[in-house]
Amino acid sequence: MDPVRVGILGLGTVGGGTVSLLRRNAEPLERRLGRSLEVTRVAVKDPSKPRPVELDGIDVGTDAESICTDPEIDIVIELVGGVDNAEPLVRKALEHGKPVVTANKALLAERGNELFRFAGEKGVDLAFEAAVAGGIPIIKALREGLAGNRIESVHAIANGTANYMLSRMRTEGMEFEDALKEAQDLGYAELDPTFDVDGIDAAHKLALVAAVAFGAPINYQALHIEGIRSITREDILYAGELGYRIKLLAITKHGPDGGIELRVHPALVPEDTMLASVEGVFNAVQVVGDAVGPTLYYGPGAGADPTASAVVGDLVDVARTLGASPEYRVPYLGFRADGMQEPRWAHVEEVETEYYLRMQAQDQPGVLAQVTRILSEEGISIEAFRQKEPHPGDTDVPVVLLTHTTKERAMRRAVAAIDQLDVINGPSQLLRLEEVDAV
Amino acid sequence: MDPVRVGILGLGTVGGGTVSLLRRNAEPLERRLGRSLEVTRVAVKDPSKPRPVELDGIDVGTDAESICTDPEIDIVIELVGGVDNAEPLVRKALEHGKPVVTANKALLAERGNELFRFAGEKGVDLAFEAAVAGGIPIIKALREGLAGNRIESVHAIANGTANYMLSRMRTEGMEFEDALKEAQDLGYAELDPTFDVDGIDAAHKLALVAAVAFGAPINYQALHIEGIRSITREDILYAGELGYRIKLLAITKHGPDGGIELRVHPALVPEDTMLASVEGVFNAVQVVGDAVGPTLYYGPGAGADPTASAVVGDLVDVARTLGASPEYRVPYLGFRADGMQEPRWAHVEEVETEYYLRMQAQDQPGVLAQVTRILSEEGISIEAFRQKEPHPGDTDVPVVLLTHTTKERAMRRAVAAIDQLDVINGPSQLLRLEEVDAV
């Protein structure tokens, strides 16, 4: 049979990795598909730039749009990134009846609903395994493998850079800024690290994961997002003393008041769980289904080869069903367009969990009494309490406590009141604790 | 659209779980498929036996074969188990153009090649996610999600019963027989535990995993299988002192001499790895691909609900492509029938790894000299050596050593020679050590 002709938009890390992988594994890929997958055109910004990948036989140009409209192209891989850049290209390809494979989480988190609807009208695929958790086939697991389940919760370590930094802060006793600098020096973090450290990248991924988990339209706006900038070396140390590690988690689950929670934030995770043991740039996604129970998926969350693995996995799926009726293909988000349901998205104040609270207290009698009175008025009971040594030269002493399960709304009111106390130098550090099911 | 009419053969644990799950999650399943999945017929041995599952509206009878030939049935789920019982039923269903979903690892390990060939001739699906690692969608991950990769290795904890027993032997200091009795009392192990403790169940699963990983025909005969009956409390203790846990692993990988290894045996795994931390009846599968690197999939390896999760996942896939050309469907083993390749399967003596050797030595000078001389003659160097306290009343002392990487052939010759020494009371315990990649 004729080769499947693939056009790639963008030849950065992932694009280069994809071209290399398709060449290196051309033989087993053809054994899978019965056709070869051939990259015939690539669009780049600067065709004269030297590339670490062999491009002979590939038409390298600058006109991305013409790839999207080229009748000689069967499938388009979108790797230009960005939202406003990428959207018209993806739309153009779909409009011309070409399935699109993308790794662009920002694009889908923000414009996915419209793009999936448009792809549906055109009857072509829009695949995005590479947009979430790098090489881990988590979208496929949620969308197909666990299709028999009602998903109860997803807890993901979805940003390798933030996880690397938190790992280094713990194992090396680094402060945030030093860990960030190291991550930047190693190429894990961008010069502008906002997307990674402020939780935005993880939030983009979570928006997609929630849609696939619950058969809901993508709703990035419903997300509660906190990054890791406020996490100190001490927080990690104190959490460790209490038996926890701090991870940037992306969480979606059924909340106690019936809404679905969507939140990205640092959280304390019991150190004897598999999620806690995920270190460095790795990602892991824990999924609890009503039938399957707790499952976990672990692997490299970024990088040329792992992401290319996801792109090519999608490419094989899409190539296999080229020309098939859409009825025979897996719906974009696992649920048919007419089967999607917008749930009520929970407000973060509905969350019920245990909390870690670190306060800077003046070293004088009666502080604890004032703090516990406020907590008690909000119905919050204390599970553990530690008064730490003051930093050299400091008059304040760090006071750390863990609460029993409480409502976030009450906890926030309590912390606001505590930070008003004369004896507390606010703002205090409030972190959620997540009891994750899997060992 | 009309419902998809499903017939189930066998209503044991998994069959009951499947009926329940299809009812409980009928609504989200229909949102996925656009059709309902309706169990219309079930075949059981004894229809008068009370069942813990609601069967109203289902035709419950004893004639399994008539379900396989019933024109009113669209898909058959085979859960009768066994090889000789199940094969003619599966064949009959395929012959009548009905796709089959099965959890029967023994059947596919032993007769899978013929059955897949027959299904191919009939142009219908034969799906088996539930046959491997319970609810973990590992077949889908290997067959589709990681399709871009050349798989380098798979290390699986694929038998929950054996893993439970080894966990209990470690944490409770139990001997094998006590752990077995406990597992039997809890219903994890059968009265005849052969399949679980002798590695046969794990081997059936590995035969399937290797076929999917490498695009090779299933070759159960090529497997090297050792169970866990020889593992003592002391082995687990000594391994722990050296920083390892003992796990029953199912391993397939490219061997050093170019063959593909297929082996199930207890092995020492570094205790700081994710595989080592899999405890109790859980399963985990570590897959290393050339592009993705190390990935790991973790979850419940057995039980009514988790296995039903896998059955229903397959059912959704199969139902979606009912009537589609086989060209549009994923090949049974991920590779097309004309793309399968029989590799050279490595003999276990080709294995190269480190080894744990426990000997019972007479407590007298010169023993170590004799042992090390034999090892040295085989070119085997020692990484660690421990002489243990003798058991109370014993004259022998346990001597434990770890070797550096060596060829199994040489190791076996050395152990045979060591066991001939007057000062050694053989047979000695020889276990392989597996360096697994993922953290």
Side-chain angles (χ1 to χ4, degrees), chain A residues 267-300:
Chain A
L268 277 70
V269 179
E271 66 187 0
D272 58 354
T273 57
M274 294 192 85
L275 266 188
S277 71
V278 175
E279 298 286 3
V281 293
F282 279 85
N283 280 192
V285 186
Q286 180 187 297
V287 180
V288 181
D290 69 336
V292 75
T295 60
L296 183 129
Y297 309 83
Y298 167 90

Side-chain angles (χ1 to χ4, degrees), chain B residues 248-263:
Chain B
L248 179 63
L249 290 187
I251 301 168
T252 185
K253 57 185 279 212
H254 292 278
D257 302 341
I260 288 183
E261 298 176 3
L262 274 179
R263 48 195 171 99

Side-chain angles (χ1 to χ4, degrees), chain A residues 209-224:
Chain A
V209 162
V212 175
F214 299 112
I218 297 160
N219 193 332
Y220 182 69
Q221 303 311 320
L223 264 148
H224 175 81

Side-chain angles (χ1 to χ4, degrees), chain A residues 180-199:
Chain A
L180 175 56
K181 172 140 198 337
E182 188 183 87
Q184 286 170 325
D185 290 347
L186 289 167
Y188 296 151
E190 306 286 329
L191 208 58
D192 174 2
T194 306
F195 268 45
D196 293 323
V197 303
D198 291 336

Side-chain angles (χ1 to χ4, degrees), chain A residues 274 282 296-300, chain B residues 132-133 136 138 141-142 146 151-158 206 209-210 213-214 248-253 269-270 272-278 283-289 292-299 434-439:
Chain A
M274 294 192 85
F282 279 85
L296 183 129
Y297 309 83
Y298 167 90
Chain B
V132 180
I136 309 171
I138 183 63
L142 281 167
L146 302 179
I151 301 303
E152 296 179 348
S153 65
V154 180
H155 288 78
I157 294 175
L206 182 64
V209 162
F214 299 112
L248 179 63
L249 290 187
I251 301 168
T252 185
K253 57 185 279 212
V269 178
D272 58 353
T273 56
M274 294 192 84
L275 266 188
S277 71
V278 174
N283 281 192
V285 186
Q286 180 188 297
V287 180
V288 180
V292 74
T295 61
L296 183 129
Y297 309 83
Y298 167 89
E434 289 294 324
E435 290 295 350
V436 286
D437 285 13
V439 204

Side-chain angles (χ1 to χ4, degrees), chain A residues 19-317:
Chain A
V19 170
S20 299
L21 182 56
L22 286 171
R23 298 210 159 181
R24 187 170 82 229
N25 289 352
E27 187 264 342
L29 284 164
E30 190 162 353
R31 290 170 53 207
R32 291 181 181 276
L33 266 179
R35 307 173 65 176
S36 63
L37 291 165
E38 205 171 291
V39 180
T40 53
R41 293 188 61 184
V42 166
V44 297
K45 270 193 201 140
D46 177 4
S48 67
K49 187 175 158 187
R51 311 271 169 183
V53 53
E54 187 58 67
L55 295 170
D56 59 296
I58 301 177
D59 174 1
V60 181
T62 57
D63 187 354
E65 193 179 317
S66 78
I67 293 182
C68 301
T69 60
D70 183 345
E72 305 285 305
I73 291 289
D74 299 307
I75 303 174
V76 170
I77 302 179
E78 183 276 302
L79 300 169
V80 295
V83 175
D84 292 327
N85 290 334
E87 195 200 354
L89 294 170
V90 169
R91 217 170 248 283
K92 186 68 76 178
L94 297 172
E95 191 187 327
H96 283 77
K98 295 181 205 317
V100 174
V101 173
T102 180
N104 194 330
K105 57 218 78 162
L107 173 66
L108 294 181
E110 296 187 17
R111 315 258 169 95
N113 294 326
E114 297 80 344
L115 288 172
F116 288 124
R117 191 179 309 124
F118 188 61
E121 286 167 17
K122 297 294 169 184
V124 292
D125 275 327
L126 174 51
F128 60 98
E129 182 67 77
V132 180
I136 308 171
I138 183 63
I139 295 300
K140 185 169 277 281
L142 282 166
R143 193 183 54 196
E144 303 166 40
L146 303 179
N149 292 262
R150 290 181 199 259
I151 300 302
E152 296 179 349
S153 65
V154 180
H155 289 79
I157 295 175
N159 183 278
T161 306
N163 199 58
Y164 176 84
M165 288 172 57
L166 292 170
S167 286
R168 297 291 289 173
M169 288 171 73
R170 184 177 70 82
T171 58
E172 308 301 312
M174 286 180 171
E175 285 292 358
F176 173 86
E177 290 302 336
D178 301 321
L180 175 56
K181 172 140 198 337
E182 188 183 87
Q184 286 170 325
D185 290 347
L186 289 167
Y188 296 151
E190 306 286 329
L191 208 58
D192 174 2
T194 306
F195 268 45
D196 293 323
V197 303
D198 291 336
I200 297 166
D201 171 75
H204 286 147
K205 294 166 180 166
L206 182 63
L208 302 178
V209 162
V212 175
F214 299 112
I218 297 160
N219 193 332
Y220 182 69
Q221 303 311 320
L223 264 148
H224 175 81
I225 310 170
E226 300 168 31
I228 61 169
R229 284 187 203 267
S230 77
I231 303 295
T232 65
R233 197 174 68 81
E234 277 77 18
D235 288 323
I236 289 174
L237 185 69
Y238 302 157
E241 290 168 2
L242 293 160
Y244 297 89
R245 293 198 186 155
I246 297 180
K247 296 289 177 189
L248 179 64
L249 291 188
I251 301 168
T252 184
K253 57 184 279 212
H254 292 277
D257 302 340
I260 288 183
E261 299 176 3
L262 275 178
R263 47 194 171 98
V264 171
H265 54 73
L268 277 70
V269 179
E271 66 187 0
D272 58 354
T273 57
M274 294 192 85
L275 266 188
S277 71
V278 175
E279 298 286 3
V281 293
F282 279 85
N283 280 192
V285 186
Q286 180 187 297
V287 180
V288 181
D290 69 336
V292 75
T295 60
L296 183 129
Y297 309 83
Y298 167 90
D305 272 358
T307 312
S309 167
V311 167
V312 176
D314 272 351
L315 197 56
V316 171
D317 276 355

Side-chain angles (χ1 to χ4, degrees), chain A residues 1 21 24-35 129 134-137 140-151 212-216 274-275 277-279 282 284 290-300 305-310 312-314 316-317 320-331 333-341 438-439, chain B residues 1 21 24-35 129 134-137 140-151 212-216 274-275 277-279 282 284 290-300 305-310 312-314 316-317 320-331 333-341 438-439:
Chain A
M1 280 180 81
L21 182 56
R24 187 170 82 229
N25 289 352
E27 187 264 342
L29 284 164
E30 190 162 353
R31 290 170 53 207
R32 291 181 181 276
L33 266 179
R35 307 173 65 176
E129 182 67 77
I136 308 171
K140 185 169 277 281
L142 282 166
R143 193 183 54 196
E144 303 166 40
L146 303 179
N149 292 262
R150 290 181 199 259
I151 300 302
V212 175
F214 299 112
M274 294 192 85
L275 266 188
S277 71
V278 175
E279 298 286 3
F282 279 85
D290 69 336
V292 75
T295 60
L296 183 129
Y297 309 83
Y298 167 90
D305 272 358
T307 312
S309 167
V312 176
D314 272 351
V316 171
D317 276 355
R320 183 175 288 121
T321 54
L322 269 178
S325 156
E327 288 295 312
Y328 296 139
R329 299 199 303 253
V330 183
L333 298 165
F335 292 77
R336 292 159 58 94
D338 59 8
M340 304 288 279
Q341 289 178 354
V439 206
Chain B
M1 280 179 81
L21 183 56
R24 188 169 80 230
N25 289 354
E27 187 264 342
L29 284 164
E30 189 162 353
R31 290 170 54 207
R32 291 181 181 276
L33 266 179
R35 306 172 65 176
E129 182 66 78
I136 309 171
K140 186 168 276 282
L142 281 167
R143 192 183 55 196
E144 302 165 42
L146 302 179
N149 292 262
R150 291 181 198 257
I151 301 303
V212 176
F214 299 112
M274 294 192 84
L275 266 188
S277 71
V278 174
E279 298 286 4
F282 279 84
D290 68 337
V292 74
T295 61
L296 183 129
Y297 309 83
Y298 167 89
D305 272 359
T307 312
S309 166
V312 176
D314 272 351
V316 171
D317 276 355
R320 184 175 287 122
T321 53
L322 269 177
S325 156
E327 289 295 314
Y328 295 139
R329 298 199 303 254
V330 183
L333 297 166
F335 291 78
R336 293 160 56 96
D338 60 8
M340 303 289 279
Q341 290 177 355
V439 204

